[in-house]
Amino acid sequence: MMDIALITANANQLRYILAYNQGSSTYYINVVLLSASLMLQVSVGLCLVLRGRLDLKGNSEKSQAKKLNNYIVMGVFLITIINVFIASFTVTTESSS
């Protein structure tokens, strides 16, 4: 469930940045980081489905499943790092009243 929450949060944050934060100094950085995070999350999700299918087939596909598992771990690590940078570069502007 955490992956669904992260995808939803990133998509919502991307929507917000595109709609309301175009004047920000970190606009392009945030758009690139959020897009990369979303693409990686979808890729990792697809790899998880493929790995599940390989695991069901038995021992003949074990080496491919291990290799795919390594890619999944690297993808999750990259998603984590990217989201740390997203949190760092997000600028909230206070409205003057």
Side-chain angles (χ1 to χ4, degrees), residues 2 11 17 20 31-33 41 49-50 53 62 65 67 77:
M2 290 291 281
I17 286 173
Y20 302 110
V31 169
V32 168
L33 288 174
Q41 288 173 57
V49 170
L50 289 174
R53 295 194 71 178
K62 202 172 242 184
K67 185 184 279 189
F77 177 74

Side-chain angles (χ1 to χ4, degrees), residues 26-75:
T26 59
Y27 173 77
Y28 291 108
I29 293 170
N30 280 327
V31 169
V32 168
L33 288 174
L34 284 164
S35 299
S37 180
L38 286 167
M39 287 188 283
L40 273 171
Q41 288 173 57
V42 170
S43 299
V44 165
L46 291 173
C47 286
L48 284 168
V49 170
L50 289 174
R51 190 195 67 187
R53 295 194 71 178
L54 288 175
D55 285 347
L56 291 176
K57 289 186 178 180
N59 291 335
S60 63
E61 305 290 335
K62 202 172 242 184
S63 65
Q64 288 180 342
K66 284 183 179 181
K67 185 184 279 189
L68 195 54
N69 193 54
N70 289 336
Y71 291 134
I72 291 168
V73 170
M74 287 188 299

Side-chain angles (χ1 to χ4, degrees), residues 6 10 29 33-34 36-37 40-41 73-89:
L6 186 58
N10 280 351
I29 293 170
L33 288 174
L34 284 164
S37 180
L40 273 171
Q41 288 173 57
V73 170
M74 287 188 299
V76 169
F77 177 74
L78 285 174
I79 291 167
T80 303
I81 297 300
I82 289 171
N83 279 283
V84 167
F85 280 107
I86 289 169
S88 304
F89 285 112

